[in-house]
Amino acid sequence: SVEIAGSQRTEHLVAARKNPLRERHPSPRPRSQRRTTSLADAYLEVEKTTSVFFVEDQATVSRTLQTCAEKHFHFKSVQLVTSCEDVARLKITVFRALQRAHHVLICFDENVYTLDDECERVPTTSTALRDILLRVPMIKAALDDGRLFLIAYSAFKIDDSRLHLNRQKGVDSPRQLLSDAVAILAGRAGHATPCSSAE
């Protein structure tokens, strides 16, 4: 057994002499590969700390967005705001989400339904919803601090400077929408330069 151990040690030393840096100093990854991995890690980190809400009353569209978000991304949670009751409670829902998640992303369709003071179903716009949300000091502070992100995904471009991203149905796919949103999230968190912004 002593001879076998000695033989193994001799083989190891011979191999080390042939390539003395093989074990102690592994070859570094190319710079481009390190950068790609770094960005991927940053995007993944942002996704895992972000709760996403889709304010969309068309069932097919909302399910498509949810499926895309869950299949291709790693968000902390994905929630649909589809019924008029859901829309009416959005302020409370967002307030609670900001207490649990590091980032909150809300994606708005512009024309939705809510409840009025008489609990009747009435049409409204997401621009009006954002007005209501941002009257809450804690929610407004989250927007200012870069914890709350507002994006639009509607049939037409929305004129609202508070939006971080403005995309159109039928022009931009749900996956492209969310990819652009994650890039902006990572950029605001200091990880990367956003590849797209509100237009």
Side-chain angles (χ1 to χ4, degrees), residues 10-199:
T10 300
E11 292 176 358
H12 178 77
L13 291 174
V14 171
R17 290 192 188 100
K18 290 181 180 179
N19 189 359
L21 301 179
R22 182 180 59 183
E23 295 184 0
R24 293 171 56 192
H25 303 286
S27 300
R29 290 175 296 177
R31 183 174 299 177
S32 60
Q33 184 179 347
R34 292 201 302 271
R35 175 174 170 77
T36 301
T37 302
S38 176
L39 288 178
D41 291 343
Y43 283 20
L44 182 60
E45 177 186 345
V46 166
E47 291 170 21
K48 286 185 174 181
T49 60
T50 301
S51 291
V52 180
F53 295 87
F54 293 111
V55 182
E56 170 61 70
D57 59 1
Q58 297 183 44
T60 301
V61 176
S62 63
R63 284 196 298 268
T64 299
L65 290 167
Q66 182 182 33
T67 299
C68 180
E70 293 175 344
K71 181 177 180 181
H72 299 294
F73 301 88
H74 303 85
F75 293 115
K76 180 181 177 66
S77 66
V78 179
Q79 184 172 332
L80 300 181
V81 181
T82 54
S83 70
C84 53
E85 292 84 5
D86 292 337
V87 173
R89 290 193 300 265
L90 183 62
K91 180 171 65 176
I92 296 173
T93 301
V94 173
F95 185 91
R96 290 175 177 171
L98 285 167
Q99 294 176 319
R100 298 190 303 269
H102 188 65
H103 296 102
V104 171
L105 173 68
I106 310 177
C107 178
F108 296 92
D109 180 24
E110 182 61 10
N111 296 312
V112 293
Y113 285 87
T114 187
L115 297 176
D116 63 12
D117 294 338
E118 303 299 323
C119 292
E120 295 288 340
R121 183 175 183 265
V122 293
T124 188
T125 66
S126 287
T127 300
L129 290 178
R130 288 187 288 276
D131 292 339
I132 294 171
L133 288 176
L134 297 177
R135 291 194 195 109
V136 181
M138 185 262 211
I139 296 177
K140 178 62 166 60
L143 179 69
D144 295 339
D145 294 342
R147 294 185 56 226
L148 175 63
F149 293 82
L150 309 175
I151 66 176
Y153 191 51
S154 195
F156 50 91
K157 288 292 182 69
I158 310 304
D159 184 15
D160 189 341
S161 61
R162 297 168 298 187
L163 293 170
H164 295 90
L165 186 67
N166 204 337
R167 291 290 177 260
Q168 285 184 264
K169 297 175 183 176
V171 176
D172 303 288
S173 69
R175 187 169 183 177
Q176 184 60 53
L177 167 78
L178 293 172
S179 294
D180 290 348
V182 169
I184 291 174
L185 281 164
R188 293 301 176 96
H191 297 302
T193 301
C195 66
S196 184
S197 60
E199 296 177 2

